[in-house]
Amino acid sequence: MSYLQLSDITKTYGHFTALDNVSLSVDKGEFVTFLGPSGSGKTTTLMIIAGFEKASAGTVEVGGQSISQLAPHERNIGIVFQNYALFPHKTAVENVYFPLQMRGVSRTQGLRQAEDMLSLVGLKGFGHRHPKELSGGQQQRVALARALVFEPSLLLLDEPLGALDKNLREQMQIEIKRIQRSLGVTTIFVTHDQSEAMSMSDRIVVFEKGRIEQAAAPLDIYHRPQTSFVAAFIGESNLIPATISSAAGKTAENPALGAFDYAGADNALSDGQKVTLLIRPEHIKLSRNPIEGRRNVRMTVETIVNYGDNALVIGRAGEVTMRVRVLGADVVIIKEGEECCISWMPESVFVITK
Ligand SMILES: Nc1ncnc2c1ncn2[C@@H]1O[C@H](COP(=O)(O)OP(=O)(O)OP(=O)(O)O)[C@@H](O)[C@H]1O
Ligand SMILES: [Mg+2]
């Protein structure tokens, strides 16, 4: 059942369209992540939900009621934005108490609730400190506590971990997920970080140029992208232009690489249709000689990028650049400039029609 409903939201600034007919429903308790290039409309969407920006057209509903006419403070939404700083002259507990104070909660009761919330975010005993006496991660936790203390109906997080180093970031990802689950608060999280989106979300919404390209579970976004943009944006990919040679026989053809068998597709296909084939680099095997039972193609290795536990081998097969992910020791069988075989199974070929 939809809890937050965005319907045909458009936002224009003069002649520029920042959001173009964005519709999305979010279930109660769901953790949804907005992912997309810079300028694709993620923050604008959050600002409209929060009430800091007014949509040029479209509606926002929570629990079946339009909130479009409500001022931000009437919307009962908790917000953590990257630059939504704590009050420097207030202590941590006073910061967390602030939204309760605004809602008329007495000081005694409010400070107690604020202390409880600080414990929940792992800051028991830190309440008396001022922001400047806290680390970046601790400050983010205070901001999170402040956004959650009044039991918001929605939690909006816009790149809240952007300023943190990798270790702290991972720690906070786990923390945010834990708190979100324990409170069951419906959450929208914005990030640039794909792996963060993959690991934290119930659903990922991919934005591009003010439109939603795809909204789906993380593994569907990865394995069944509906557009070439999503396939290229998420993870590493081989995108091969092809023509369906037989929809009944599930084969497609690329002029340089020849015939491809594919296992299935999400859309109905017809003979002669132009499509894009996706093969993820980790689904391709690298070998000296052809491997029986797989589709084999010869490739000349151009570049090997080592990541320690794995390597990305980039080469040319026909006129097509192919990327192959190899694990650990497998990479030593081949050197740059050498010729090898790459091979895959039909199940690893996904047909994209847009
Ligand atoms: N007040 C404004 N006036 C004009 N254009 C604006 C305004 N606010 C945002 N935009 C434009 O709207 C588009 C969407 O901006 P938005 O901040 O939503 O992007 P974003 O997806 O959050 O990007 P980022 O990942 O860089 O934070 C951008 O092209 C931006 O320049
Ligand atoms: Mg933004």
Side-chain angles (χ1 to χ4, degrees):
M1 197 200 72
S2 165
Y3 180 63
L4 168 68
Q5 179 69 46
L6 309 183
S7 306
D8 303 316
I9 302 274
T10 293
K11 176 70 183 175
T12 51
Y13 294 104
H15 293 298
F16 179 74
T17 303
L19 291 178
D20 184 9
N21 259 297
V22 167
S23 295
L24 177 71
S25 30
V26 178
D27 289 345
K28 197 165 176 61
E30 203 179 2
F31 192 109
V32 169
T33 297
F34 289 180
L35 192 63
S38 186
S40 58
K42 306 179 297 292
T43 297
T44 306
T45 306
L46 282 202
M47 297 294 256
I48 288 170
I49 298 169
F52 297 127
E53 288 281 2
K54 211 171 144 40
S56 312
T59 55
V60 182
E61 289 170 316
V62 176
Q65 301 283 319
S66 171
I67 60 167
S68 301
Q69 299 310 316
L70 298 180
H73 68 273
E74 296 169 328
R75 294 189 179 198
N76 200 37
I77 294 177
I79 296 162
V80 182
F81 287 177
Q82 202 177 342
N83 300 316
Y84 203 65
L86 298 173
F87 302 112
H89 55 280
K90 285 185 193 286
T91 62
V93 72
E94 294 276 358
N95 264 282
V96 179
Y97 168 52
F98 181 75
L100 295 174
Q101 191 180 0
M102 290 292 97
R103 286 164 174 79
V105 178
S106 78
R107 199 174 158 77
T108 326
Q109 195 200 325
L111 286 175
R112 196 166 55 234
Q113 274 175 253
E115 288 289 1
D116 287 348
M117 196 45 75
L118 282 174
S119 302
L120 186 71
V121 300
L123 287 180
K124 197 175 171 59
F126 286 79
H128 62 283
R129 295 211 198 171
H130 284 83
K132 67 173 190 312
E133 299 167 313
L134 296 167
S135 73
Q138 289 166 340
Q139 289 180 36
Q140 283 296 13
R141 283 165 207 248
V142 177
L144 188 61
R146 186 176 63 178
L148 287 167
V149 73
F150 55 90
E151 296 177 10
S153 41
L154 271 179
L155 179 63
L156 306 180
L157 306 166
D158 195 351
E159 306 204 37
L161 311 180
L164 307 181
D165 67 41
K166 187 169 167 289
N167 288 341
L168 197 50
R169 205 181 162 103
E170 283 172 1
Q171 204 182 318
M172 282 296 290
Q173 288 168 8
I174 295 166
E175 202 77 338
I176 288 176
K177 265 313 281 189
R178 179 182 66 77
I179 295 162
Q180 190 267 340
R181 275 214 197 96
S182 73
L183 298 177
V185 59
T186 311
T187 302
I188 299 180
F189 183 87
V190 177
T191 181
H192 268 107
D193 184 328
Q194 293 178 25
S195 56
E196 192 163 280
M198 281 284 161
S199 64
M200 293 180 78
S201 325
D202 296 320
R203 212 146 46 104
I204 295 176
V205 178
V206 181
F207 278 77
E208 158 72 342
K209 299 200 175 103
R211 300 169 63 96
I212 292 179
E213 284 274 314
Q214 187 172 359
L219 290 179
D220 282 337
I221 290 276
Y222 188 77
H223 292 295
R224 315 188 79 82
Q226 297 303 299
T227 67
S228 300
F229 175 83
V230 173
F233 189 71
I234 312 285
E236 293 275 352
S237 53
N238 293 291
L239 290 169
I240 303 152
T243 306
I244 298 292
S245 33
S246 164
K250 296 184 176 173
T251 54
E253 186 91 13
N254 171 278
L257 296 179
F260 283 77
D261 291 333
Y262 57 85
D266 282 355
N267 301 298
L269 301 168
S270 50
D271 294 358
Q273 188 176 347
K274 303 269 181 238
V275 295
T276 304
L277 305 177
L278 166 68
I279 310 179
R280 292 290 184 191
E282 68 274 20
H283 292 154
I284 299 179
K285 257 205 175 83
L286 188 85
S287 56
R288 282 249 170 255
N289 300 304
I291 302 176
E292 212 178 313
R294 298 171 69 87
R295 175 77 168 86
N296 291 271
V297 166
R298 298 211 72 80
M299 179 177 91
T300 305
V301 174
E302 292 187 329
T303 313
I304 300 175
V305 188
N306 262 302
Y307 293 100
D309 60 340
N310 75 84
L312 190 67
V313 178
I314 304 168
R316 288 188 87 75
E319 285 308 296
V320 183
T321 297
M322 295 292 287
R323 296 161 167 264
V324 184
R325 177 86 57 203
V326 287
L327 290 182
D330 281 357
V331 73
V332 301
I333 69 159
I334 203 84
K335 293 197 185 60
E336 289 177 1
E338 286 184 343
E339 198 172 273
C340 64
C341 260
I342 56 172
S343 63
W344 57 83
M345 299 296 285
E347 300 84 76
S348 302
V349 181
F350 185 70
V351 181
I352 298 171
T353 52
K354 278 189 251 173

